[in-house]
Amino acid sequence: AKVEPLKVMISGAPASGKGTQCELITDKYGLVHVSAGDLLRAEVAVGSENGKRAKEFMQKGQLVPDEIVVLMVKNRLMQPDAIEKGWLLDGYPRSLSQATALQKFNLKADLFILLEVPEEILVERVVGRRLDPVTGKIYHLKYSPPETEEIAARLTQRFDDTEEKVKLRLQTHHNNVEAVLSMYRDITIKVNGNAPKDQVFAQIDVALSKLIEQRAATSGSL
Ligand code: AP5
């Protein structure tokens, strides 16, 4: 029997390392990375109506309203590549209503990864973060510096990556995290995100390989 592709959610405070781990996970497991924040930033970049509205909330570190986010994410998860290869959903759901909407569309995850990082570390991570607009790769001036001068020269910073804005984003995270966690207790793994990125990935890798083995065994293909 064919083994169903994996469906995974990754969650954690701002700058807990979701995007960084998603790069490592997709490299190894071939899942389609669907990031709510990246989808929103793409709307902002093209200047669509949704993008203009979304930016107002993103600048305040608040959740963008469901009527923009819910269908945007659902439509991406239902693209043929995500259905065929499985998905890795990053930064969604961030509220009870978003989690309920997924259920309604029958979009269910196999695993919910929660990255745990102490708050005092997060601000430093945000302020030092840089992005490569050419490859989409995430860097940090201290923890994950660019490989070449050429890359260093073209790095950009996100408009919501200031100390002041990250504090607002953290507040929003605290207001919502428990409600979201309560929906996924039975499939949650907590990962210590306060370690070098390869060590964080090693913890996730163990959980994902185990899951794949279990599923192959139950579907009779091992
Ligand atoms: P979003 O883009 O999702 O931002 P976020 O949750 O604040 O998370 P970040 O992208 O800042 O961090 P990350 O965890 O991916 O960390 P990264 O790997 O880059 O959302 C932005 C906004 O969009 C929200 O505020 C909201 O307004 C809106 N939005 C998004 N989703 C929404 C939704 N579902 N509903 C409504 N609104 C929504 O790492 C951070 C830095 O640390 C990097 O520099 C990296 O190099 C470094 N780093 C990573 N791992 C390590 C490590 N192990 N050790 C040292 N440094 C590390």
Side-chain angles (χ1 to χ4, degrees):
K2 188 177 179 290
V3 183
E4 279 288 303
L6 280 187
K7 295 170 204 119
V8 178
M9 291 172 176
I10 186 160
S11 155
S16 54
K18 300 182 290 294
T20 300
Q21 293 305 318
C22 285
E23 280 178 17
L24 299 170
I25 297 168
T26 50
D27 277 355
K28 174 150 181 190
Y29 291 94
L31 305 177
V32 174
H33 178 208
V34 177
S35 155
D38 286 351
L39 291 173
L40 286 168
R41 278 184 288 278
E43 291 288 328
V44 172
V46 297
S48 67
E49 273 318 305
N50 275 348
K52 283 183 202 149
R53 269 199 75 206
K55 189 168 183 184
E56 290 171 31
F57 292 89
M58 294 167 85
Q59 274 175 326
K60 290 187 274 184
Q62 292 172 359
L63 293 185
V64 173
D66 281 2
E67 70 254 28
I68 296 177
V69 181
V70 168
L71 285 182
M72 189 185 74
V73 170
K74 176 216 160 206
N75 289 340
R76 183 64 192 90
L77 292 176
M78 293 198 151
Q79 297 289 312
D81 60 340
I83 291 173
E84 191 199 320
K85 296 181 187 159
W87 42 256
L88 173 60
L89 183 54
D90 163 8
Y92 188 100
R94 275 180 145 112
S95 65
L96 207 53
S97 61
Q98 291 182 3
T100 321
L102 274 189
Q103 268 185 341
K104 225 177 56 198
F105 300 129
N106 218 5
L107 289 160
K108 272 186 69 184
D110 307 300
L111 190 70
F112 184 96
I113 301 168
L114 178 69
L115 291 178
E116 297 187 304
V117 178
E119 199 148 323
E120 60 275 15
I121 310 277
L122 298 172
V123 174
E124 192 198 4
R125 283 198 187 175
V126 158
V127 177
R129 169 165 47 197
R130 296 293 183 274
L131 302 169
D132 182 345
V134 176
T135 61
K137 210 172 160 214
I138 305 164
Y139 291 95
H140 189 282
L141 294 178
K142 183 162 151 201
Y143 301 116
S144 195
E147 297 87 355
T148 64
E149 280 298 317
E150 189 192 346
I151 298 174
R154 67 183 186 221
L155 293 182
T156 60
Q157 214 175 352
R158 255 167 60 175
F159 64 82
D160 57 351
D161 270 355
T162 61
E163 182 166 349
E164 177 209 354
K165 298 262 163 73
V166 76
K167 287 192 170 147
L168 298 172
R169 280 153 60 197
L170 268 170
Q171 193 53 51
T172 304
H173 172 76
H174 288 311
N175 294 343
N176 295 295
V177 64
E178 279 308 321
V180 173
L181 281 179
S182 71
M183 296 278 290
Y184 300 109
R185 289 223 194 277
D186 52 335
I187 55 162
T188 297
I189 58 152
K190 293 187 175 174
V191 167
N192 172 18
N194 187 21
K197 66 179 181 181
D198 295 337
Q199 288 178 26
V200 177
F201 177 65
Q203 301 171 62
I204 295 174
D205 197 14
V206 168
L208 288 175
S209 344
K210 233 194 249 163
L211 192 63
I212 288 176
E213 255 173 52
Q214 279 167 3
R215 289 161 57 118
T218 48
S219 77
S221 60
L222 265 193

